[in-house]
Amino acid sequence: MFGRDKIEYKTPEQVLLMRRAGLVVAEALAAVRERAAAGVSTAQLDAVAARVIADHHATASFLGYHGYPATLCVSVNDEVVHGIPGARVLEPGDVVSIDCGAIVDGWHGDSAITVVLDGADPEDLALAETTERAMWAGIAALSTADRLGAVGEAVEDVVDAAQSAGLNGGQRYGLVEEYVGHGIGTAMHQPPDVPNFRTRDRGPRLRAGLCVAIEPMVVRGDRATQVLDDDWTVVTGDGSRASHWEHTVAVLDDGIWVLTAPDGGAQSLGALGVTVAPLA
Ligand code: MF3
Ligand code: CO
């Protein structure tokens, strides 16, 4: 389940190198978030991210990955992940998940946000908020737990609680299982897998040097997904809307650091009672 083979544990120096890539991704996503609005095409968002990455002399990690044709994945409404930017023009109330990866000196950063455009249904706004909270709970679990399986448990607990509180209008949320988080470092995807849901397998032990991308995908209906004829775009089978959030996180000797957050996650994790580790 977790693909325990050959985990690349990073030294503190290597974690600092990964942070450089993470900060480029953070800046690119901030610029794209700023630009995202009704009337803007997804290709225009892609160009914004490409510009930021180029300005830093970094490399877009998705472009050319297994033939992927763009810098970002932009997944709108019922698209869950891997939406290809293009001529599609965003509309009021759209739920827009934006995924970005960059490489600096061979080290990778990977992060995703969901932007909900003005005019949205309250339940769509709640979907994005629930998914973001689930991601932060999963990240926080890395600082307290002894095994990686705690991430998925924490994610699923948040989604269950939000559902019970009626945030999805009394309907069930779906937690996508076909796509998982991953180790990250000198490649975008490395062992171990990081399921964003509860599993029987408790997963590998957490130890300093582990760097992982935590990336829950939550949908407003059934968790089943399909891939469109473009061979990339993942959509919900029932047309329900989806949200995807992701951060790249380092486990250090004295705690954790979110490499794709400018503050290391201090603010969001602080709210959960977790203090981020000093970085070197
Ligand atoms: N962030 C995505 C992931 O972790 C990567 C996008 S897939 C790509 O799986 F092919 F577009 F790169
Ligand atoms: Co990822």
Side-chain angles (χ1 to χ4, degrees), residues 62 65 68 73 82 99 110 182 188-189 215 232 246:
F62 300 176
Y65 181 84
Y68 187 76
C73 297
H82 305 168
D99 194 344
D110 187 4
H182 47 92
M188 175 165 61
H189 292 141
E215 50 177 322
W232 282 104
E246 177 176 19

Side-chain angles (χ1 to χ4, degrees), residues 15-273:
V15 169
L16 284 175
L17 293 176
M18 285 185 67
R19 184 174 188 227
R20 295 175 55 211
L23 291 178
V24 172
V25 171
E27 190 178 323
L29 285 175
V32 170
R33 180 204 289 272
E34 194 73 15
R35 188 69 194 283
V40 174
S41 75
T42 56
Q44 284 174 297
L45 298 184
D46 198 67
V48 168
R51 174 84 283 179
V52 172
I53 290 170
D55 284 347
H56 286 278
H57 308 289
T59 305
S61 49
F62 300 176
L63 187 63
Y65 181 84
H66 294 284
Y68 187 76
T71 292
L72 295 178
C73 297
V74 182
S75 308
V76 184
N77 296 338
D78 64 323
E79 297 172 354
V80 182
V81 284
H82 305 168
I84 302 172
R88 180 177 189 155
V89 174
L90 297 177
E91 295 179 15
D94 277 352
V95 177
V96 189
S97 296
I98 302 156
D99 194 344
C100 183
I103 312 168
V104 174
D105 288 340
W107 294 93
H108 287 248
D110 187 4
S111 180
I113 60 174
T114 298
V115 180
V116 181
L117 302 191
D118 288 348
D121 287 351
E123 285 87 3
D124 284 341
L125 214 47
L127 169 73
E129 287 169 1
T130 295
T131 311
E132 183 181 15
R133 269 193 295 115
M135 173 191 67
W136 283 111
I139 293 169
L142 284 175
S143 82
T144 50
D146 62 336
R147 289 190 182 265
L148 192 56
V151 170
E153 290 171 17
V155 166
E156 192 160 332
D157 284 349
V158 167
V159 174
D160 284 351
Q163 180 181 292
S164 299
L167 295 188
N168 195 29
Q171 301 299 116
R172 299 180 61 81
Y173 278 125
L175 191 46
V176 173
E177 296 191 358
E178 286 106 328
Y179 304 90
V180 295
H182 47 92
I184 179 169
T186 54
M188 175 165 61
H189 292 141
Q190 298 182 327
D193 288 340
V194 185
N196 309 293
F197 47 89
R198 206 176 282 282
T199 60
R200 292 174 66 94
D201 186 344
R202 297 181 59 235
R205 283 193 181 283
L206 295 171
R207 73 163 170 91
L210 180 72
C211 293
V212 287
I214 308 286
E215 50 177 322
M217 289 146 242
V218 180
V219 309
R220 291 192 51 199
D222 191 86
R223 68 163 186 250
T225 62
Q226 287 164 206
V227 179
L228 296 186
D229 284 341
D230 63 15
D231 284 338
W232 282 104
T233 312
V234 176
V235 297
T236 55
D238 62 5
S240 63
R241 291 186 167 195
S243 173
H244 174 218
W245 285 83
E246 177 176 19
H247 267 309
T248 298
V249 188
V251 176
L252 303 159
D253 269 324
D254 304 316
I256 62 173
W257 186 271
V258 181
L259 297 165
T260 43
D263 71 347
Q267 193 181 342
S268 298
L269 290 171
L272 300 175

